[in-house]
């Protein structure tokens, strides 16, 4: 164990003083009633201290830097890129050869999709982990991982990795021990001798993968137990009511932090706490656990922040960024699922009224110590998280609008420009989720098939509008690998037995490096999208008003095809406008000026906007940041 200097010891104590009050009351409430609580508390403190002692010097320096710049992840310089290691670069060593490409795009954050050692065979894209302290051998070794982390750090690029909190693979050593009957490890999972309780729980549970993994429990005849398996059969839910699980995960978090991880993407957090008679999602205890985990990072590895993955309705999502007593103390980042869903919804209907209602009603203008991860596409499907109430507020039927969106993006709705695939059709609820790449859903695939250059042009404009939207809303915009070169759907997954059941693989294609090689000069959609996104990220960096802490205020606008919001910065308001239609639309200059926007300068194109008479004219799929 490395020895701490007196100064380092002192720093640890100061951070414990700072973040202890966020930690201990949560743990007291969760586990304080247990006899083993005092021993747990002591073990946790020892774990935090040991992790700090083991933290490499350069990371300790980074801790200090980020303590001094607590807004580092909210700054407009932040822009992320999300990729599968094998599909992007083959292996971790291969990633090292692609750093120039990332820098060229303007990326300052990378999320390497699940890279810890998964179970063999179908691993849910790596989310079924059998060893949290080892790297997937197909990608390389822990040394390779550390080399990538170091190389990224040298370029000022933060590294995000997945940490699955809700479940482990059934092949994980804990699960094996539990299956073998070890009582210590049985208590790490949720196991039942008969189906009485599982049946009772099922009454109020929802199904995540109704198609291929129906039900939330699995019976294993060889051990004579029912095991809680929310997702797939091979993913065993952890028992977070057991403090030993909390302790194990803290150890793993800090282990990864000390390997050079900057952002922990905490996967499937909504499901971590079970309560009879509920959906067992987003229970209050989940937020207590997440606050405690964040405090643990702030004590032993304060350079690290947490991204919470909870793909839920707006009202349920905000608490992951800290609401009420958790304000400023929970996730630093959470996915802005609603912004993503509303983007696709408005794009299909050419009508932004639902989007304006949802974004303007449910989201506060600012968050404390937190910001969103904004995105148009990710590795998962799109679920039409539009509530019946929100739909009704703008005169729509929720079920009808959701069905329309599925048909539109599957491509079957008459006149649809999109091409996608259905995912997890739920006969019981009528729910149909959608898979597809950004470009294919935006119309590029159909346009190219039809040899329709004008349609392809519109598709390019839609892709760029989406990226200009996520770059301006507030938060870290995440570009999903391949979207920056407009990759189309990959139908090859149907021929792979471990993927064929899961249409999400349609939008997880391999990187097309040949297309990428021509990005600076070609006139192809791929190259034009690349240059467009690169430009958007560059202009974002040059626009201080897009800092995550600057309020975002949705503005109602007369034209139903336009989505508008203001970033009210102390140096002046920036009005962000997006035309969601194929038509030219007009807005009165007087209306823009009435909102307190100083100039008619488009900060995105960096050109003045010439009014047409008393109006501003917005071409199809225009995006402007007026300031
Ligand atoms: C998250 C991941 C998803 C995975 C699930 C179960 O939602 O994004 O891909 O299937 O967790 O781990």
């Amino acid at each position: 164990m490395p020895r701490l200097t007196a100064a380092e010891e002192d720093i640890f104590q100061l951070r414990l003083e700072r973040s202890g009050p966020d930690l201990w009351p949560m743990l007291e409430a969760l586990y304080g009633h247990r006899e083993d609580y005092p021993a747990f508390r002591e073990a946790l403190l020892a774990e935090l201290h040991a992790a700090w002692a083991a933290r490499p010097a350069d990371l300790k320096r980074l801790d200090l830097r980020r303590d001094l710049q607590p807004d580092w992840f909210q700054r407009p310089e932040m822009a992320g890129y999300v990729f599968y290691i094998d599909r992007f670069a083959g292996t971790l060593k291969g990633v090292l050869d692609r750093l120039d490409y990332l820098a060229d795009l303007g990326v300052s954050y990378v999320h390497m999709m699940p890279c810890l050692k998964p179970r063999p065979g179908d691993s849910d894209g790596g989310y079924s982990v059998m060893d949290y302290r080892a790297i997937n051998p197909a990608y390389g070794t822990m040394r390779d991982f550390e080399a990538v982390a170091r190389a990224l750090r040298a370029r000022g690029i933060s590294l995000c990795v997945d940490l699955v909190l809700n479940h482990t693979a059934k092949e994980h050593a804990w699960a094996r021990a539990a299956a073998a009957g070890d009582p210590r490890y049985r208590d790490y999972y949720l196991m039942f001798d008969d189906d009485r309780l599982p049946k009772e729980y099922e009454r109020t549970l929802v199904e995540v993968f109704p198609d291929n993994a129906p039900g939330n429990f699995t019976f294993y005849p060889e051990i004579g137990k029912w095991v809680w398996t929310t997702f797939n059969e091979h993913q065993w839910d952890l028992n977070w009511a057991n403090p030993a699980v909390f302790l194990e995960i803290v150890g793993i978090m800090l282990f990864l932090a000390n390997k050079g991880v900057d952002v922990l993407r905490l996967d499937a957090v909504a499901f971590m706490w079970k309560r009879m008679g509920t959906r067992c999602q987003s229970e209050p205890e989940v937020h207590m656990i997440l606050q405690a985990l964040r405090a643990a990072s702030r004590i032993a590895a304060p350079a690290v922040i947490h991204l919470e993955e909870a793909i839920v309705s707006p009202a349920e999502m905000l608490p992951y960024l800290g609401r009420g007593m958790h304000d400023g103390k929970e996730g630093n980042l959470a996915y802005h699922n609603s912004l993503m869903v509303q983007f696709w919804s408005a794009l299909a209907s050419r009508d932004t009224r639902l989007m304006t209602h949802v974004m303007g009603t449910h989201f506060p203008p600012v968050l404390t110590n937190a910001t969103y991860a904004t995105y148009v596409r990710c590795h998962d499907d799109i679920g039409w998280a539009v509530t019946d109430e929100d739909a009704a507020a703008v005169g729509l039927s929720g079920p009808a609008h959701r069905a329309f969106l599925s048909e539109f993006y599957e491509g079957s709705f008459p006149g649809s420009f999109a091409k996608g695939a259905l995912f997890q059709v739920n006969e019981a609820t009528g729910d149909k989720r959608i898979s597809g790449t950004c470009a294919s859903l935006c119309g590029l695939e159909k346009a190219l098939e039809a040899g329709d250059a004008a349609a392809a042009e519109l598709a390019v404009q839609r892709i760029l509008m989406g990226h200009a939207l996520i770059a301006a809303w507030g938060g870290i915009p995440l570009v999903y690998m391949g979207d920056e070169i407009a990759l189309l759907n990959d139908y090859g997954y149907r021929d792979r037995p471990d993927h064929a059941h899961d249409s999400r693989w349609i939008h997880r294609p391999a990187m097309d490096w040949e297309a990428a090689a021509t990005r600076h000069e070609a006139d192809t959609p791929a190259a034009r999208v690349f240059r467009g996104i690169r430009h958007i990220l560059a202009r974002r960096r040059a626009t201080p008003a897009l800092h995550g802490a600057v309020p975002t205020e949705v503005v109602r606008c007369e034209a139903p095809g336009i989505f508008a919001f203001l970033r009210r910065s102390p140096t002046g308001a920036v009005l962000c406008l997006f035309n969601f239609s194929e038509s030219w639309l007009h807005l009165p200059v007087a209306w823009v000026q009435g909102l307190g926007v100083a100039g008619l300068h488009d900060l995105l194109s960096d050109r003045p906007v010439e009014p047409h008479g008393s109006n501003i004219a917005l071409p199809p799929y225009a995006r402007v940041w007026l300031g």
Side-chain angles (χ1 to χ4, degrees), residues 84 113-114 123-128 162 164 166-167 208-209 231-232 235 265 267-268 271 309 311 335 378-381 502 504 508:
Y84 285 92
M113 292 293 292
S123 64
D124 187 23
Y127 286 102
S128 202
D162 290 271
V164 187
N166 180 64
H167 44 261
V208 181
F209 295 146
F231 288 82
N232 290 294
Q235 291 163 308
R265 176 190 179 279
D267 181 73
F271 302 87
E309 191 244 359
I311 306 304
Y335 288 99
C378 70
H379 68 293
D380 278 329
D381 53 290
D502 187 341
R504 290 176 299 174
R508 300 169 182 175

Side-chain angles (χ1 to χ4, degrees), residues 4-281:
L4 289 173
T5 64
E8 286 171 329
E9 197 62 68
D10 194 33
I11 290 175
F12 182 79
Q13 290 308 325
L14 289 172
R15 292 207 176 113
L16 193 60
E17 270 172 41
R18 174 188 64 184
S19 300
D22 298 340
L23 176 67
W24 305 119
M26 297 298 113
L27 297 177
E28 177 82 36
L30 289 162
Y31 309 122
H33 61 281
R34 296 174 54 116
E35 238 172 60
D36 56 1
Y37 180 69
F40 158 72
R41 215 186 123 113
E42 218 169 284
L44 178 61
L45 197 54
E47 182 78 51
L48 295 172
H49 192 266
W52 168 245
R55 194 152 169 80
D58 56 338
L59 295 177
K60 282 188 171 147
R61 186 165 183 277
L62 190 64
D63 289 337
L64 191 57
R65 175 193 290 239
R66 289 187 176 161
D67 268 346
L68 296 170
Q69 300 180 349
D71 69 334
W72 66 273
F73 62 96
Q74 298 173 314
R75 296 184 177 199
E77 298 91 275
M78 292 302 289
Y81 189 75
V82 182
F83 63 85
Y84 285 92
I85 293 167
D86 52 348
R87 285 163 183 248
F88 179 63
T91 60
L92 281 164
K93 286 209 173 82
V95 172
L96 292 174
D97 300 330
R98 300 299 182 190
L99 298 184
D100 287 341
Y101 177 77
L102 296 175
D104 182 24
L105 183 57
V107 162
S108 56
Y109 165 122
V110 300
H111 171 191
M112 296 201 297
M113 292 293 292
C115 53
L116 305 181
K117 189 177 175 192
R119 74 189 288 268
D122 175 20
S123 64
D124 187 23
Y127 286 102
S128 202
V129 178
M130 65 181 282
D131 187 350
Y132 290 98
R133 292 177 195 256
I135 294 297
N136 182 343
Y139 302 159
T141 62
M142 190 52 87
R143 280 181 93 98
D144 298 335
F145 179 82
E146 286 176 274
V148 169
R150 252 195 316 276
L152 290 170
R153 195 153 60 247
R155 288 178 183 246
I157 300 177
S158 304
L159 172 58
C160 168
V161 300
D162 290 271
L163 180 58
V164 187
L165 294 190
N166 180 64
H167 44 261
T168 72
K170 68 176 177 187
E171 287 81 3
H172 192 288
W174 305 334
R176 310 254 17 106
D182 183 332
R184 174 183 149 100
Y185 291 102
R186 284 239 153 128
D187 201 24
Y188 275 39
Y189 297 92
L190 296 142
M191 299 186 152
F192 306 87
D193 293 331
D194 54 49
D195 65 354
R196 203 180 44 83
L197 283 173
K199 271 194 175 142
E200 236 176 289
Y201 277 113
E202 280 289 12
R203 267 196 264 250
T204 49
L205 290 174
V206 288
E207 299 199 55
V208 181
F209 295 146
D211 259 12
N212 57 294
N216 289 275
F217 300 86
T218 307
F219 181 66
Y220 293 89
E222 57 292 9
I223 58 171
K225 298 270 182 208
W226 287 86
V227 181
W228 200 310
T229 53
T230 300
F231 288 82
N232 290 294
E233 169 275 321
H234 52 79
Q235 291 163 308
W236 286 15
D237 287 39
L238 284 165
N239 174 21
W240 280 87
N242 177 0
V245 167
F246 184 93
L247 197 58
E248 295 271 15
I249 296 291
V250 166
I252 290 164
M253 273 177 21
L254 298 177
F255 168 82
L256 293 171
N258 285 354
K259 297 291 176 203
V261 170
D262 299 272
V263 183
L264 289 167
R265 176 190 179 279
L266 307 180
D267 181 73
V269 290
F271 302 87
M272 284 161 66
W273 196 268
K274 324 293 186 193
R275 173 166 286 117
M276 183 64 81
T278 71
R279 291 181 309 133
C280 298
Q281 281 191 51

